[in-house]
Amino acid sequence: MASSDLDPLLRLRQSIAANDPPFTKVSLDPTSSSEAEENLAVAAYLQFNNPQHSYSLDHPTRFISSDKPIDLRSIWFAWQKKDVAIPDYIASAQQLNEELAGKDDGATKVHPLFFVERLDLITWLEGASEESEYIKGLESDASAARSAQVASGAAGGVSTIPSSAAGARVGKTIDPRLQEIYNGERRMGDRNTVLRGIKPT
């Protein structure tokens, strides 16, 4: 499977778009839908349909807040509370954290998102925006970007010397971005060659 098939954030977005939202469960058994558990303090897994796959609610996601990845429980909680005002959202998060602290040693807790982060997440999950400044790109996207840089000569690969460099004056510096544009331009000959073509020799 590709990494995009296993990404819980992408799966959540796709399931919301397909109007087939996931549900929280207590156990890992993917076949029993009767164990659906709405209480996030008790639930341990988020179950997706088509294809069926479960993720632990403690699974870190690509959503980054305060330089650390946010777990799936916090993402699902923010989505469930998308229509709630910020003070009520924060109060609900504190109440859930108290319930989670009573369940185990307090290691599991919901990370309440800031207003802008929450708005950005909900907009991305609904499909209203294609990019989010808080969601780190997939590894496949990063490798595609590296391949594009190698292909363009910007990084790695065999270094190329632009033909305009031979005629450039010594000491003249050109902006690297402008040089990249020049390298992409089509090279033209003189007027006669353009009009009449090259005669065979």
Side-chain angles (χ1 to χ4, degrees):
M1 283 187 157
S3 62
S4 61
D5 296 337
L6 298 174
D7 181 51
L9 272 183
L10 199 55
R11 289 289 304 271
L12 181 57
R13 184 179 185 186
Q14 291 167 347
S15 67
I16 290 168
N19 204 13
D20 185 20
F23 56 93
T24 51
K25 296 177 66 168
V26 177
S27 75
L28 191 57
D29 184 15
T31 57
S32 61
S33 60
S34 60
E35 291 185 33
E37 175 61 57
E38 293 293 321
N39 187 354
L40 284 176
V42 177
Y45 298 95
L46 188 62
Q47 170 75 40
F48 288 91
N49 302 315
N50 299 329
Q52 288 191 348
H53 191 79
S54 295
Y55 294 95
S56 169
L57 286 173
D58 298 327
H59 188 281
T61 64
R62 295 181 296 129
F63 194 91
I64 306 297
S65 175
S66 304
D67 294 329
K68 59 183 206 179
I70 301 301
D71 63 339
L72 193 55
R73 186 185 313 267
S74 301
I75 298 293
W76 182 244
F77 179 75
W79 173 253
Q80 285 185 318
K81 302 291 183 185
K82 66 181 165 89
D83 297 324
V84 175
I86 290 293
D88 296 334
Y89 166 72
I90 292 173
S92 298
Q94 289 172 346
Q95 180 182 358
L96 181 58
N97 282 336
E98 289 171 7
E99 291 177 32
L100 286 167
K103 187 180 95 167
D104 59 10
D105 59 355
T108 305
K109 58 192 269 185
V110 169
H111 179 82
L113 301 176
F114 296 114
F115 174 76
V116 177
E117 294 172 338
R118 181 173 166 236
L119 181 65
D120 190 63
L121 173 68
I122 291 168
T123 305
W124 186 82
L125 286 174
E126 288 176 337
S129 70
E130 291 300 315
E131 295 180 353
S132 169
E133 68 176 278
Y134 300 102
I135 298 177
K136 190 172 65 172
L138 289 170
E139 292 174 9
S140 59
D141 294 343
S143 65
R146 280 193 299 273
S147 298
Q149 286 181 342
V150 169
S152 69
V158 178
S159 62
T160 58
I161 300 174
S163 60
S164 62
R169 283 188 254 149
V170 178
K172 182 177 178 183
T173 59
I174 298 177
D175 182 34
R177 176 78 178 123
L178 185 60
Q179 184 63 45
E180 184 178 327
I181 293 170
Y182 285 156
N183 290 341
E185 288 183 351
R186 183 175 165 192
R187 304 285 180 234
M188 301 294 290
D190 62 0
R191 179 178 179 274
N192 288 332
T193 305
V194 171
L195 291 175
R196 297 179 185 88
I198 301 173
K199 294 183 181 178
T201 54

